[in-house]
Amino acid sequence: MKKVLVLGATSAIAQSTVRLLAARGASLFLVGRNAERLEAVAKDARTRGATRVETEALDLDDLAQHEALVERAATALGGLDGALLAHGILGNQEAAQRSYAEAEKVLRTNFLSAVSLLTPLANRFEAQKAGTLVVISSVAGDRGRQSNYVYGASKGALSVFLQGLRNRLARSGVAVVTVKPGFVDTPMTADIKKNALFATPEKVARGIVRAADSGKDEVYLPGFWGPIMFAIRGIPERIFKRMKL
């Protein structure tokens, strides 16, 4: 990926990925909510060797802005051949259980916003018969658990959407890469007690770049989450529903 739109560029995983892309001399269009933090990421990318860096502060929950945003990014960079969707929220499961409005916030940011962005990006890449879409989903989307099923539902829906999008775009030479991280030590997980299963954003970023380079369909990061989730998906529902997870 040489001309890349990065959505949610101030997230810890996105920042680490931007550093790697910048070191390769990529041109980057960075989007995030906070203009000050966004400019800090951009300055770092320029220092690390990015050919060009443009920024735009935007709340990606504003779906009406998405199509024009993609056009502005393509114009600024002289085209696009890659996009990284890295924005998302964990939400509060207990609050979402009590209030649909709280659940809707998680679904809007993690799923509907992604669909709204991927639609014009997919159409653009399909027309040019080239491009790589890298989207951060989550292992939480592989099976609903009582502790985070609203977040898991948003990511599960996203993963299924990406499966269909990948099927649609396969004949056009467009790669759709679903990234499923497990626990990552980021501000989003600051309130969760850390253990050996937690990965650093840097490690996940390296996996993202490798997956994008190879055009992998789906990747668990770190890789040990693949067999873990295979086992979890295989637990019969009559047993799983009694487990406290």
Side-chain angles (χ1 to χ4, degrees):
M1 298 190 295
K2 292 296 184 182
K3 299 177 179 181
V4 188
L5 171 60
V6 182
L7 299 148
T10 59
S11 72
I13 293 174
Q15 287 187 55
S16 294
T17 307
V18 164
R19 293 184 191 111
L20 297 176
L21 295 173
R24 294 178 166 196
S27 295
L28 304 164
F29 193 100
L30 309 178
V31 182
R33 276 196 183 106
N34 186 297
E36 186 176 346
R37 291 176 59 201
L38 197 59
E39 186 51 43
V41 177
K43 183 178 180 180
D44 181 72
R46 295 184 187 106
T47 301
R48 292 175 186 272
T51 298
R52 184 171 186 176
V53 184
E54 302 290 341
T55 66
E56 181 167 334
L58 182 69
D59 183 350
L60 291 172
D61 280 349
D62 187 356
L63 277 55
Q65 299 294 323
H66 290 176
E67 193 163 353
L69 170 65
V70 171
E71 289 298 322
R72 288 194 295 273
T75 299
L77 299 185
L80 290 172
D81 64 8
L84 169 64
L85 274 71
H87 67 293
I89 59 173
L90 186 59
N92 182 291
Q93 175 63 34
E94 291 185 2
Q97 290 172 197
R98 293 191 300 267
S99 166
Y100 169 73
E102 291 298 319
E104 186 182 43
K105 290 177 185 177
V106 178
L107 295 168
R108 184 176 182 84
T109 299
N110 293 351
F111 178 57
L112 296 178
S113 175
V115 171
S116 178
L117 288 160
L118 286 165
T119 298
L121 283 166
N123 292 340
R124 172 177 289 275
F125 287 4
E126 185 177 39
Q128 66 192 31
K129 298 189 182 302
T132 301
L133 295 168
V134 182
V135 185
I136 298 180
S137 184
S138 172
V139 297
D142 278 18
R143 192 158 193 179
R145 297 180 293 126
Q146 62 177 313
S147 60
N148 70 348
Y149 64 81
V150 174
Y151 173 78
S154 71
K155 291 298 190 177
L158 179 58
S159 293
V160 171
F161 179 85
L162 292 170
Q163 288 172 3
L165 190 63
R166 185 181 302 115
N167 186 211
R168 168 193 156 194
L169 297 178
R171 294 174 183 82
S172 300
V174 178
V176 179
V177 183
T178 303
V179 178
K180 293 185 176 182
F183 298 120
V184 185
D185 190 0
T186 69
M188 182 185 286
T189 60
D191 295 332
I192 301 175
K193 186 177 180 180
K194 305 303 182 288
N195 57 46
L197 294 177
F198 274 79
T200 63
E202 292 77 15
K203 184 171 185 177
V204 173
R206 290 193 293 271
I208 287 173
V209 172
R210 285 195 301 269
D213 286 346
S214 64
K216 280 191 174 181
D217 296 329
E218 183 177 274
V219 59
Y220 287 88
L221 295 174
F224 60 72
W225 282 102
I228 288 175
M229 296 315 298
F230 178 81
I232 289 176
R233 290 194 305 271
I235 300 171
E237 190 68 14
R238 67 181 183 277
I239 297 172
F240 190 81
K241 69 182 182 182
R242 293 185 174 89
M243 299 173 70
K244 189 173 178 59
L245 294 172

